[in-house]
Amino acid sequence: MPRVEGFIFDLDGTLLDTLDDIVDAGNSVLSQLGITPVDKEHYREFIGDGVNELFRKLLEYRKALSEEKLQICVSLMKEAYSKNYLNKTRPYDGIYEMLDYLYRNNYKLSILSNKQHFFTNELVKHFFSNFKFVVVRGIESSEDRKPNPRLAIEIANTMGIPPQKIMFVGDSINDIITARNCEMIPVGVSWGFKNYEEILSYKPSYILNNPMDIRRILEEY
């Protein structure tokens, strides 16, 4: 097997627990339209495909979906989220230790999120300024959402690493499928937003139950 030289990480549900701030902002938007707020567990189920798809699912759940309301929600969400995206968001336990270990051992690191690029960049600057990421990318076009492999392949090229030598780490099936679409090594995490059994069903090469499991995996790889 080729030696692993780099990592691409998902952000929400993998490096950062952003769910509470997303719920607060999303429910603020729904309330502005007179729509009943949605509980956290449904957000957990609906999240991961970008802001458009999140509100499409929320409005469908509340039987209030129309294209007009969807566009209003997406428009309002940027302002609502900008007011509170740092209120409750925190790195998961062990994330700093994992990144420090990888950084000290000369692995190249990047981030690819289905979150809007502006917020992806701002969150990384706020929480991970001590680490050098080769590329930090969020979504600017809905066509580029994971599992579309285009951005991941572009990141690999910028990193200067063949896809086969990159571990793609995330908490959702989109991350596992993206890795496979790029011929990268798919690695799931058990602490994120998505159902653990669902991730297992897509057969990632490895599962991290704790961020520092990455050391054991690399030693065994």
Side-chain angles (χ1 to χ4, degrees):
M1 292 185 291
R3 180 186 178 275
V4 174
E5 296 181 9
F7 289 80
I8 299 176
F9 290 96
D10 174 49
L11 186 65
D12 298 61
T14 300
L15 299 180
L16 293 177
D17 184 354
T18 57
L19 188 57
D20 285 336
D21 283 337
I22 293 170
V23 172
D24 290 347
N27 281 339
S28 170
V29 169
L30 294 177
S31 295
Q32 290 180 63
L33 274 66
I35 298 170
T36 303
V38 175
D39 64 90
K40 181 177 176 177
E41 290 311 305
H42 278 94
Y43 273 88
R44 186 187 303 276
E45 178 185 348
F46 297 156
I47 204 167
D49 292 315
V51 65
N52 284 64
E53 288 306 305
L54 172 62
F55 276 103
R56 185 179 298 279
K57 292 170 183 176
L58 290 169
L59 291 171
E60 283 180 343
Y61 177 70
R62 285 294 180 221
K63 298 180 171 56
L65 178 62
S66 70
E67 285 304 312
E68 181 182 7
K69 285 180 181 175
L70 176 59
Q71 293 310 312
I72 291 171
C73 286
V74 171
S75 178
L76 291 174
M77 182 61 170
K78 185 170 185 178
E79 181 180 358
Y81 191 53
S82 68
K83 293 177 179 177
N84 76 337
Y85 72 104
L86 297 175
N87 287 354
K88 301 174 182 175
T89 291
R90 296 290 182 273
Y92 289 99
D93 290 344
I95 291 298
Y96 285 144
E97 291 82 356
M98 176 190 70
L99 293 176
D100 184 62
Y101 168 78
L102 295 175
Y103 192 64
R104 285 187 292 103
N105 283 277
N106 300 313
Y107 293 98
K108 292 183 179 180
L109 311 176
S110 290
I111 290 174
L112 176 59
S113 174
N114 273 351
K115 192 183 217 65
Q116 291 172 313
H117 180 71
F118 172 80
F119 289 115
T120 299
N121 203 44
E122 290 300 302
L123 284 165
V124 173
K125 283 195 296 184
H126 183 85
F127 288 104
F128 302 117
S129 61
N130 290 338
F131 302 99
K132 182 179 178 181
F133 292 94
V134 179
V135 180
V136 175
R137 288 294 299 267
I139 296 302
E140 295 177 295
S141 169
S142 60
E143 289 78 15
D144 282 332
R145 289 198 314 261
K146 295 175 287 185
N148 186 330
R150 190 184 78 83
L151 291 182
I153 292 170
E154 187 177 289
I155 290 170
N157 290 337
T158 302
M159 294 169 79
I161 303 174
Q164 296 83 0
K165 296 184 178 182
I166 295 174
M167 286 189 169
F168 195 112
V169 184
D171 72 311
S172 76
I173 61 173
N174 279 338
D175 298 309
I176 305 305
I177 297 170
T178 301
R180 290 225 168 85
N181 287 343
C182 300
E183 298 186 356
M184 296 177 185
I185 303 158
V187 180
V189 306
S190 65
W191 58 78
F193 297 163
K194 297 303 182 180
N195 181 278
Y196 181 60
E197 296 301 323
E198 182 180 17
I199 297 170
L200 279 179
S201 72
Y202 277 76
K203 296 181 171 59
S205 297
Y206 302 96
I207 286 277
L208 304 181
N209 293 307
N210 178 288
M212 283 309 295
D213 284 348
I214 202 72
R215 178 166 54 190
R216 172 184 54 79
I217 289 170
L218 289 169
E219 289 172 352
E220 293 175 356
Y221 187 77

